[in-house]
mmCIF file of all heavy atoms in Angstrom:
data_model
loop_
_atom_site.group_PDB
_atom_site.id
_atom_site.type_symbol
_atom_site.label_atom_id
_atom_site.label_comp_id
_atom_site.label_asym_id
_atom_site.label_seq_id
_atom_site.Cartn_x
_atom_site.Cartn_y
_atom_site.Cartn_z
ATOM 1 N N MET A 1 12.805 4.604 -19.251
ATOM 2 C CA MET A 1 14.216 4.143 -19.538
ATOM 3 C C MET A 1 15.198 5.233 -18.935
ATOM 4 O O MET A 1 14.950 6.505 -18.993
ATOM 5 C CB MET A 1 14.313 4.176 -21.025
ATOM 6 C CG MET A 1 15.685 3.671 -21.383
ATOM 7 S SD MET A 1 16.106 3.870 -23.101
ATOM 8 C CE MET A 1 15.368 2.339 -23.727
ATOM 9 N N ASN A 11 25.952 9.512 -28.815
ATOM 10 C CA ASN A 11 27.397 10.012 -29.052
ATOM 11 C C ASN A 11 28.056 9.417 -30.270
ATOM 12 O O ASN A 11 28.713 10.063 -30.837
ATOM 13 C CB ASN A 11 28.149 9.522 -27.750
ATOM 14 C CG ASN A 11 29.690 9.799 -28.011
ATOM 15 O OD1 ASN A 11 30.509 8.843 -28.250
ATOM 16 N ND2 ASN A 11 30.025 11.045 -27.968
ATOM 17 N N ALA A 16 30.637 10.500 -35.261
ATOM 18 C CA ALA A 16 30.701 10.115 -36.648
ATOM 19 C C ALA A 16 31.222 11.328 -37.541
ATOM 20 O O ALA A 16 31.835 11.028 -38.575
ATOM 21 C CB ALA A 16 29.413 9.612 -37.007
ATOM 22 N N PHE A 18 32.574 14.250 -36.044
ATOM 23 C CA PHE A 18 33.463 15.097 -35.158
ATOM 24 C C PHE A 18 34.746 15.485 -35.950
ATOM 25 O O PHE A 18 35.443 14.506 -36.424
ATOM 26 C CB PHE A 18 33.736 14.352 -33.898
ATOM 27 C CG PHE A 18 34.541 15.176 -32.990
ATOM 28 C CD1 PHE A 18 33.885 16.282 -32.297
ATOM 29 C CD2 PHE A 18 35.794 14.922 -32.646
ATOM 30 C CE1 PHE A 18 34.652 16.951 -31.377
ATOM 31 C CE2 PHE A 18 36.534 15.608 -31.832
ATOM 32 C CZ PHE A 18 35.974 16.669 -31.124
ATOM 33 N N ASP A 19 35.097 16.606 -36.034
ATOM 34 C CA ASP A 19 36.349 17.034 -36.673
ATOM 35 C C ASP A 19 37.037 18.162 -35.857
ATOM 36 O O ASP A 19 37.841 18.957 -36.463
ATOM 37 C CB ASP A 19 36.089 17.584 -38.094
ATOM 38 C CG ASP A 19 35.167 18.664 -38.201
ATOM 39 O OD1 ASP A 19 34.605 19.158 -37.040
ATOM 40 O OD2 ASP A 19 34.839 19.257 -39.290
ATOM 41 N N LYS A 20 36.823 18.264 -34.563
ATOM 42 C CA LYS A 20 37.480 19.317 -33.715
ATOM 43 C C LYS A 20 38.436 18.707 -32.756
ATOM 44 O O LYS A 20 38.637 19.265 -31.780
ATOM 45 C CB LYS A 20 36.399 20.053 -33.082
ATOM 46 C CG LYS A 20 35.429 20.793 -33.914
ATOM 47 C CD LYS A 20 35.805 22.156 -34.266
ATOM 48 C CE LYS A 20 34.826 22.825 -35.336
ATOM 49 N NZ LYS A 20 33.434 22.961 -34.826
ATOM 50 N N GLY A 21 38.985 17.602 -33.099
ATOM 51 C CA GLY A 21 39.946 16.942 -32.164
ATOM 52 C C GLY A 21 41.316 17.605 -31.884
ATOM 53 O O GLY A 21 41.898 17.411 -31.042
ATOM 54 N N ILE A 32 34.642 33.787 -20.073
ATOM 55 C CA ILE A 32 33.909 32.809 -19.122
ATOM 56 C C ILE A 32 32.488 33.314 -19.272
ATOM 57 O O ILE A 32 32.114 34.456 -19.093
ATOM 58 C CB ILE A 32 34.281 32.982 -17.667
ATOM 59 C CG1 ILE A 32 35.898 32.401 -17.577
ATOM 60 C CG2 ILE A 32 33.521 32.096 -16.736
ATOM 61 C CD1 ILE A 32 36.408 32.909 -16.177
ATOM 62 N N VAL A 33 31.544 32.232 -19.332
ATOM 63 C CA VAL A 33 30.173 32.528 -19.146
ATOM 64 C C VAL A 33 29.724 31.736 -17.821
ATOM 65 O O VAL A 33 29.975 30.639 -17.743
ATOM 66 C CB VAL A 33 29.222 31.967 -20.349
ATOM 67 C CG1 VAL A 33 27.795 32.071 -19.858
ATOM 68 C CG2 VAL A 33 29.506 32.997 -21.482
ATOM 69 N N ALA A 54 35.156 29.153 -25.215
ATOM 70 C CA ALA A 54 34.910 29.783 -23.793
ATOM 71 C C ALA A 54 34.750 28.743 -22.686
ATOM 72 O O ALA A 54 34.548 27.486 -23.112
ATOM 73 C CB ALA A 54 33.623 30.648 -23.934
ATOM 74 N N LEU A 77 45.301 29.788 -14.989
ATOM 75 C CA LEU A 77 45.921 28.671 -15.860
ATOM 76 C C LEU A 77 45.596 28.684 -17.183
ATOM 77 O O LEU A 77 46.268 28.092 -18.030
ATOM 78 C CB LEU A 77 45.639 27.330 -15.145
ATOM 79 C CG LEU A 77 46.114 27.184 -13.572
ATOM 80 C CD1 LEU A 77 45.696 25.911 -13.023
ATOM 81 C CD2 LEU A 77 47.535 27.444 -13.417
ATOM 82 N N ALA A 84 31.031 36.907 -18.202
ATOM 83 C CA ALA A 84 29.599 37.331 -18.454
ATOM 84 C C ALA A 84 28.696 36.545 -17.444
ATOM 85 O O ALA A 84 28.742 35.419 -17.525
ATOM 86 C CB ALA A 84 29.372 37.210 -19.859
ATOM 87 N N PHE A 86 25.126 35.275 -16.454
ATOM 88 C CA PHE A 86 23.698 35.303 -17.015
ATOM 89 C C PHE A 86 22.850 34.605 -15.891
ATOM 90 O O PHE A 86 23.080 33.449 -15.507
ATOM 91 C CB PHE A 86 23.688 34.349 -18.245
ATOM 92 C CG PHE A 86 24.122 34.931 -19.512
ATOM 93 C CD1 PHE A 86 25.449 35.154 -19.847
ATOM 94 C CD2 PHE A 86 23.210 35.531 -20.359
ATOM 95 C CE1 PHE A 86 25.950 35.832 -20.915
ATOM 96 C CE2 PHE A 86 23.636 36.179 -21.551
ATOM 97 C CZ PHE A 86 25.013 36.320 -21.873
ATOM 98 N N LEU A 141 32.138 39.907 -8.235
ATOM 99 C CA LEU A 141 33.347 39.591 -9.006
ATOM 100 C C LEU A 141 34.302 40.739 -9.170
ATOM 101 O O LEU A 141 35.521 40.556 -9.059
ATOM 102 C CB LEU A 141 32.878 38.986 -10.406
ATOM 103 C CG LEU A 141 32.071 37.740 -10.415
ATOM 104 C CD1 LEU A 141 31.454 37.403 -11.828
ATOM 105 C CD2 LEU A 141 33.048 36.552 -9.963
ATOM 106 N N GLY A 155 26.858 41.643 -16.757
ATOM 107 C CA GLY A 155 25.756 40.954 -16.233
ATOM 108 C C GLY A 155 24.508 40.985 -17.209
ATOM 109 O O GLY A 155 24.217 42.051 -17.793
ATOM 110 N N VAL A 160 13.633 32.995 -20.886
ATOM 111 C CA VAL A 160 13.201 31.590 -21.186
ATOM 112 C C VAL A 160 12.014 31.539 -22.176
ATOM 113 O O VAL A 160 11.709 30.510 -22.812
ATOM 114 C CB VAL A 160 13.162 30.642 -20.107
ATOM 115 C CG1 VAL A 160 14.459 30.471 -19.334
ATOM 116 C CG2 VAL A 160 12.073 31.015 -19.141
ATOM 117 N N LYS A 164 15.503 35.610 -25.748
ATOM 118 C CA LYS A 164 16.398 36.759 -25.791
ATOM 119 C C LYS A 164 17.067 37.183 -24.607
ATOM 120 O O LYS A 164 16.680 36.890 -23.589
ATOM 121 C CB LYS A 164 15.502 37.897 -26.217
ATOM 122 C CG LYS A 164 14.816 37.892 -27.628
ATOM 123 C CD LYS A 164 13.908 38.997 -27.861
ATOM 124 C CE LYS A 164 13.362 39.000 -29.206
ATOM 125 N NZ LYS A 164 12.329 40.097 -29.500
ATOM 126 N N GLN A 167 21.299 42.935 -21.536
ATOM 127 C CA GLN A 167 22.248 43.285 -20.655
ATOM 128 C C GLN A 167 21.748 44.106 -19.540
ATOM 129 O O GLN A 167 21.051 45.169 -19.613
ATOM 130 C CB GLN A 167 23.444 44.165 -21.445
ATOM 131 C CG GLN A 167 24.622 44.255 -20.679
ATOM 132 C CD GLN A 167 25.837 44.769 -21.355
ATOM 133 O OE1 GLN A 167 25.781 44.968 -22.699
ATOM 134 N NE2 GLN A 167 26.931 44.797 -20.660
#
Side-chain angles (χ1 to χ4, degrees):
M1 180 189 281
N11 175 254
F18 183 72
D19 61 356
K20 300 271 174 64
I32 298 169
V33 169
L77 300 180
F86 281 82
L141 293 171
V160 297
K164 293 180 178 174
Q167 187 167 6

